[in-house]
Amino acid sequence: MADERIWVSPIVRREREVDEVRSQLKRLGGNIVFEDVADLRNWHDCVEGADVIVILICRESNNDPAIKDIVTEASRLGKRIVGIWIDEELGSGIPGYMDREGDAVCDLEEERMKLAVIEGENIWVEPSGKPRPKQKVPRHKGH
C-alpha cells in the first residue's frame, strides 16, 4: 500500500500542522501528492487523483463545509479516508462525517499513522490515542 497516492487536505490557518503531517508521512514511506494545493478551491482534482484522503481533525476542519463535501465525494469514489487528530482539546467524539464515511481515525503517534494511512489498517482512536468505544450499530460504508 506504500505506493498509494496520499493527499493531505489543506486547512486554512493550520498550514504548519498540515506541512508537519505531510513530512511525517513522507518519512514513514508515504507517497504524498498535491503538496502545492494550499486551499480547497480545486479539491475535486485532488480527491480524484489520490488513493488515500487524509483529513486533519481540528476546529477549523470541523467548521469547514468543504471538508464534509470532500469526505462524501471521496467515499462515493471508493477512496480510503483517514482522519488524524491535531486538536486534542476537542475531547472525545469522532466527527459525524468521519464516523459515517471514514475508514480510520488516528492521532499523531507515528506507528498508528503508518498503520492507518500507509498500511491501510482500520484504526479508530480518540484524540488521546485511546481506542474509541465500540459502536452499537455496525457501519456499512457505501451502502
Side-chain angles (χ1 to χ4, degrees):
M1 297 199 77
D3 60 337
E4 288 189 320
R5 297 170 311 237
I6 301 165
W7 178 54
V8 179
S9 175
I11 301 170
V12 175
R13 293 187 303 279
R14 299 304 285 262
E15 292 83 0
R16 183 182 55 80
E17 288 98 330
V18 171
D19 288 342
E20 287 173 6
V21 168
R22 286 177 179 151
S23 295
Q24 195 172 2
L25 289 170
K26 277 189 215 173
R27 279 194 315 276
L28 295 169
N31 176 21
I32 306 300
V33 295
F34 302 111
E35 286 184 77
D36 58 333
V37 175
D39 59 46
L40 296 176
R41 284 183 292 209
N42 297 316
W43 66 262
H44 292 280
D45 293 338
C46 299
V47 169
E48 288 176 14
D51 302 305
V52 180
I53 311 303
V54 174
I55 304 294
L56 303 185
I57 303 172
C58 60
R59 280 184 171 72
E60 290 83 358
S61 62
N62 284 347
N63 293 325
D64 188 338
I67 296 293
K68 293 167 189 71
D69 293 341
I70 288 167
V71 170
T72 299
E73 180 67 6
S75 177
R76 187 186 72 74
L77 293 172
K79 308 291 179 160
R80 180 166 174 77
I81 306 163
V82 179
I84 298 178
W85 293 104
I86 61 170
D87 269 353
E88 284 188 30
E89 67 269 12
L90 287 178
S92 63
I94 292 170
Y97 61 90
M98 283 302 299
D99 198 39
R100 285 186 305 276
E101 307 287 347
D103 295 291
V105 173
C106 66
D107 58 357
L108 291 168
E109 195 277 319
E110 284 197 353
E111 186 59 28
R112 280 191 285 267
M113 282 179 62
K114 183 175 184 179
L115 290 171
V117 178
I118 297 168
E119 296 182 9
E121 289 196 23
N122 295 337
I123 295 172
W124 291 88
V125 299
E126 297 290 337
S128 65
K130 293 181 180 172
R132 79 164 176 190
K134 192 88 169 147
Q135 287 184 303
K136 293 180 177 114
V137 178
R139 296 178 4 156
H140 297 289
K141 184 178 172 191
H143 299 283

